[in-house]
Coordinates of all heavy atoms in Angstrom, one line a residue:
N25 N 3.8 3.4 -8.2 CA 3.5 4.5 -9.1 C 4.1 5.9 -8.7 O 4.5 6.7 -9.5 CB 1.9 4.6 -9.3 CG 1.3 3.5 -10.1 OD1 1.9 3.0 -11.0 ND2 0.2 3.1 -9.7
A26 N 4.1 6.1 -7.4 CA 4.6 7.4 -6.9 C 6.1 7.5 -7.0 O 6.6 8.6 -7.2 CB 4.1 7.6 -5.5
F27 N 6.8 6.4 -6.7 CA 8.3 6.5 -6.6 C 9.1 5.7 -7.6 O 10.3 6.0 -7.8 CB 8.7 6.1 -5.2 CG 8.1 6.9 -4.1 CD1 7.1 6.4 -3.3 CD2 8.5 8.2 -3.8 CE1 6.5 7.1 -2.3 CE2 7.9 9.0 -2.8 CZ 6.9 8.4 -2.0
F28 N 8.5 4.8 -8.3 CA 9.3 3.9 -9.1 C 8.7 3.7 -10.5 O 8.9 2.7 -11.2 CB 9.4 2.5 -8.4 CG 10.0 2.5 -7.1 CD1 9.2 2.3 -5.9 CD2 11.3 2.8 -6.9 CE1 9.7 2.3 -4.7 CE2 11.9 2.8 -5.6 CZ 11.0 2.6 -4.5
D29 N 8.0 4.7 -10.9 CA 7.4 4.8 -12.3 C 6.6 3.5 -12.7 O 6.6 3.1 -13.8 CB 8.6 4.9 -13.3 CG 8.1 5.4 -14.7 OD1 7.1 6.1 -14.8 OD2 8.8 5.1 -15.7
G30 N 6.0 2.9 -11.7 CA 5.2 1.7 -11.9 C 5.9 0.5 -12.2 O 5.3 -0.5 -12.6
K31 N 7.2 0.4 -12.0 CA 8.0 -0.8 -12.4 C 7.9 -1.8 -11.3 O 8.3 -1.6 -10.2 CB 9.5 -0.4 -12.6 CG 9.7 0.5 -13.8 CD 9.5 -0.3 -15.1 CE 9.9 0.4 -16.3 NZ 9.7 -0.4 -17.5
P32 N 7.3 -3.0 -11.6 CA 7.1 -4.0 -10.6 C 8.3 -4.6 -10.0 O 8.3 -5.2 -8.9 CB 6.2 -5.1 -11.3 CG 6.5 -4.9 -12.8 CD 6.8 -3.4 -13.0
I33 N 9.5 -4.5 -10.6 CA 10.7 -5.1 -10.1 C 11.0 -4.5 -8.7 O 11.6 -5.1 -7.9 CB 11.9 -4.9 -11.1 CG1 13.1 -5.7 -10.6 CG2 12.2 -3.5 -11.3 CD1 12.9 -7.2 -10.7
F34 N 10.6 -3.2 -8.5 CA 11.0 -2.5 -7.3 C 10.1 -3.0 -6.1 O 10.5 -2.9 -5.0 CB 10.8 -1.0 -7.4 CG 11.9 -0.4 -8.3 CD1 11.7 -0.1 -9.6 CD2 13.1 -0.1 -7.8 CE1 12.6 0.4 -10.5 CE2 14.1 0.4 -8.6 CZ 13.9 0.7 -9.9
A35 N 9.0 -3.7 -6.4 CA 8.3 -4.4 -5.3 C 9.1 -5.5 -4.7 O 9.0 -5.7 -3.5 CB 6.9 -4.9 -5.9
L36 N 9.9 -6.2 -5.5 CA 10.8 -7.2 -5.0 C 11.9 -6.6 -4.1 O 12.3 -7.2 -3.1 CB 11.3 -8.0 -6.1 CG 10.3 -8.7 -7.0 CD1 11.0 -9.7 -8.0 CD2 9.3 -9.5 -6.2
I37 N 12.4 -5.5 -4.5 CA 13.4 -4.8 -3.7 C 12.9 -4.4 -2.3 O 13.5 -4.6 -1.3 CB 14.0 -3.6 -4.5 CG1 14.8 -4.1 -5.7 CG2 15.0 -2.8 -3.5 CD1 15.3 -3.0 -6.6
L38 N 11.6 -3.8 -2.4 CA 11.0 -3.4 -1.1 C 10.8 -4.7 -0.2 O 11.0 -4.6 1.0 CB 9.6 -2.7 -1.4 CG 9.7 -1.3 -2.0 CD1 8.3 -0.9 -2.3 CD2 10.3 -0.4 -0.9
G39 N 10.3 -5.7 -0.9 CA 10.1 -7.0 -0.1 C 11.4 -7.5 0.5 O 11.3 -7.9 1.7
G40 N 12.4 -7.5 -0.2 CA 13.7 -7.9 0.3 C 14.2 -7.1 1.5 O 14.7 -7.6 2.5
S41 N 14.0 -5.8 1.4 CA 14.3 -4.9 2.5 C 13.5 -5.2 3.8 O 14.0 -5.3 4.9 CB 14.1 -3.5 2.1 OG 14.9 -3.2 1.0
F42 N 12.2 -5.5 3.6 CA 11.4 -5.8 4.7 C 11.7 -7.1 5.4 O 11.6 -7.3 6.6 CB 9.9 -5.8 4.3 CG 9.2 -4.5 4.4 CD1 9.6 -3.4 3.6 CD2 8.3 -4.2 5.4 CE1 9.0 -2.2 3.7 CE2 7.7 -3.0 5.5 CZ 8.0 -2.0 4.7
M43 N 12.2 -8.1 4.5 CA 12.6 -9.4 5.1 C 13.8 -9.3 6.0 O 13.9 -9.9 7.0 CB 12.8 -10.4 4.0 CG 12.8 -11.8 4.4 SD 12.7 -13.1 3.1 CE 11.0 -13.0 2.7
I44 N 14.7 -8.4 5.6 CA 15.9 -8.2 6.4 C 15.5 -7.5 7.7 O 16.0 -7.9 8.8 CB 17.0 -7.4 5.6 CG1 17.5 -8.2 4.5 CG2 18.1 -6.9 6.6 CD1 18.4 -7.4 3.5
L45 N 14.6 -6.6 7.7 CA 14.1 -6.0 8.9 C 13.4 -7.0 9.8 O 13.6 -6.9 11.1 CB 13.1 -4.9 8.6 CG 13.6 -3.6 8.0 CD1 12.5 -2.6 7.6 CD2 14.5 -2.9 9.1
A46 N 12.7 -8.0 9.2 CA 12.1 -9.0 10.0 C 13.2 -9.8 10.8 O 13.1 -10.2 11.9 CB 11.3 -10.0 9.1
G47 N 14.3 -10.1 10.1 CA 15.4 -10.8 10.7 C 16.0 -10.1 11.9 O 16.3 -10.7 12.9
I48 N 16.2 -8.8 11.7 CA 16.7 -8.0 12.8 C 15.7 -8.0 14.0 O 16.1 -8.1 15.2 CB 17.0 -6.5 12.3 CG1 18.1 -6.6 11.3 CG2 17.4 -5.6 13.5 CD1 18.3 -5.3 10.6
S49 N 14.4 -7.9 13.7 CA 13.5 -7.7 14.8 C 13.3 -9.0 15.6 O 12.9 -8.9 16.8 CB 12.1 -7.3 14.2 OG 11.6 -8.3 13.3
V50 N 13.7 -10.2 15.1 CA 13.5 -11.4 15.8 C 14.5 -11.4 17.0 O 14.3 -12.1 18.0 CB 13.8 -12.6 14.9 CG1 15.2 -12.9 14.6 CG2 13.1 -13.9 15.5
L51 N 15.6 -10.7 17.0 CA 16.5 -10.6 18.1 C 15.9 -10.0 19.3 O 16.4 -10.2 20.4 CB 17.8 -9.8 17.7 CG 18.6 -10.4 16.5 CD1 19.7 -9.4 16.2 CD2 19.1 -11.8 16.9
F52 N 14.8 -9.3 19.2 CA 14.1 -8.7 20.3 C 13.0 -9.5 20.9 O 12.4 -9.1 21.9 CB 13.6 -7.3 19.9 CG 14.6 -6.4 19.5 CD1 14.9 -6.2 18.1 CD2 15.3 -5.6 20.4 CE1 15.9 -5.4 17.7 CE2 16.3 -4.7 20.0 CZ 16.6 -4.6 18.6
V53 N 12.8 -10.8 20.4 CA 11.8 -11.6 20.9 C 12.3 -12.5 22.1 O 13.4 -13.0 22.0 CB 11.3 -12.6 19.8 CG1 10.3 -13.6 20.3 CG2 10.7 -11.8 18.6
R54 N 11.6 -12.5 23.1 CA 12.0 -13.4 24.2 C 11.6 -14.8 23.9 O 10.5 -15.1 23.6 CB 11.2 -13.0 25.5 CG 11.6 -11.6 26.0 CD 11.1 -11.3 27.4 NE 11.5 -12.3 28.4 CZ 11.1 -12.3 29.7 NH1 10.3 -11.3 30.1 NH2 11.6 -13.2 30.5

């Protein structure tokens, strides 16, 4: 509501970005 005019499609874009961050963070796991 604050940044994307309530459009639910942007929730999927946010989700995709977080999934890529998860991939990068796994490199730091022992």
Side-chain angles (χ1 to χ4, degrees):
N25 287 325
F27 300 105
F28 304 108
D29 197 28
K31 291 293 185 180
I33 190 66
F34 288 98
L36 302 187
I37 295 177
L38 287 173
S41 302
F42 270 69
M43 195 166 283
I44 292 172
L45 284 174
I48 295 170
S49 62
V50 78
L51 297 177
F52 298 94
V53 175
R54 293 189 60 179

